[in-house]
Amino acid sequence: MTPEDQEETQPLLRPLSGSVPRGRRVFLAAFAAALGPLSFGFALGYSSPAIPSLRRAAPPAPRLDDAAASWFGAIVTLGAAAGGVLGGWLVDRAGRKLSLLFCTVPFVTGFAVITASQDVWMLLGGRLLTGLACGIASLVAPVYISEIAYPEVRGLLGSCVQLMVVIGILLAYLAGWVLEWRWLAVLGCVPPSFMLLLMCCVPETPRFLLTQHKRQEALAAMQFLWGPEQGWEEPPVGAEHQGFQLAQLRRPGIYKPFAIGISLMVFQQLSGINAVMFYAETIFEEAKFKNSSLASVIVGVIQVLFTAVAALVMDRAGRRLLLALSGVVMVFSTSAFGAYFKLTQGGPSNSSHVDLLAPVSTEPADASAGLAWLAVGSMCLFIAGGAQALWCFLARVRLLHRQCPFHFVLCP
């Protein structure tokens, strides 16, 4: 990278040379913004325990047939697509903070509509609204966090975005183990409500304020976040107006990593990772597991652990090695899960009725128990090799221009 390229990737506000920020409010602001990805993850994971609960619900509660259940899980992605477009428009016009405040409205409204649902259409409408909020939050939260963080903690805080998403998914799985679908939707209103309260207590990002020619407000925001003793250096001339333009795709340094990144995202999404997240409990029920809720929770725990591990070892192990390894693991695990379904076809007394919490015995093991753990193990491997390496990779990518498309693409 040339000195000119290094200059382009510098934040618009940075500490004076030799000074180290000591402010701790930056962590409060990052946590407030990270509640958006947490809510995002909860909305993604909500359908997994909610679909079986809705199928068991007695009238007058709405009941889902197979087609409605499929739409209930998938419609959130349509809302997220619209939210991504809306968030891209909001983030540069309304600002990062106001965009995050705005996304709490469809989050809370969507879960409230689900809670009050009397028919399937209300359920789908609520899911669509939460999807809209997911699209906005997944785009704006990483931008807000990267712009408020000083260099020494920027990588750490940036890695927390994907971690909070998978924690939100795990929270939905855990809560769905004990709560029925209405109370689970009520719980879904809690993280965005806290986010609304906390975001009112933190400032807009100094970088956005500077692009709006509000230098005094930018300095005040930086001192609030980094400490009152901090000064700041003037950005390079013209840095306030940096922006990505389509004409820059002619540059090999832009279009090559852009094409590679888009291809990685497309193939990763086509692998079915979102289907597993949306329908984890249903998948295990279709496999006739006795403890489908427990199996889903195990999958969620594995996802959180491997997301944290991927973030920690990314720099040491290398991006390409981890991505290649994750692809191999996903191929092996999906093949094993398909083999499980093939082996368990037939009579009602197959392996899938095995209790996963059954104590280990010294007696000869029933082959059915091994098949039960084959199913859970293969899904855990699939999740472990799934989005973690790719999204941690994209979270660390910095192309030659700060406003390249990768700066905003961070939805799982």
Side-chain angles (χ1 to χ4, degrees), residues 7-8 10-12 14 234-240 242:
E7 183 178 84
E8 283 186 349
Q10 292 295 325
L12 289 187
R14 55 186 182 272
E234 288 286 336
V237 175
E240 298 176 14
Q242 288 182 12

Side-chain angles (χ1 to χ4, degrees), residues 102-142:
F102 173 79
C103 81
T104 63
V105 176
F107 264 132
V108 175
T109 304
F111 279 118
V113 170
I114 293 174
T115 303
S117 293
Q118 299 300 318
D119 54 46
V120 172
W121 291 108
M122 290 185 70
L123 289 173
L124 296 181
R127 286 287 284 170
L128 190 65
L129 283 173
T130 57
L132 180 72
C134 288
I136 299 173
S138 64
L139 186 148
V140 180

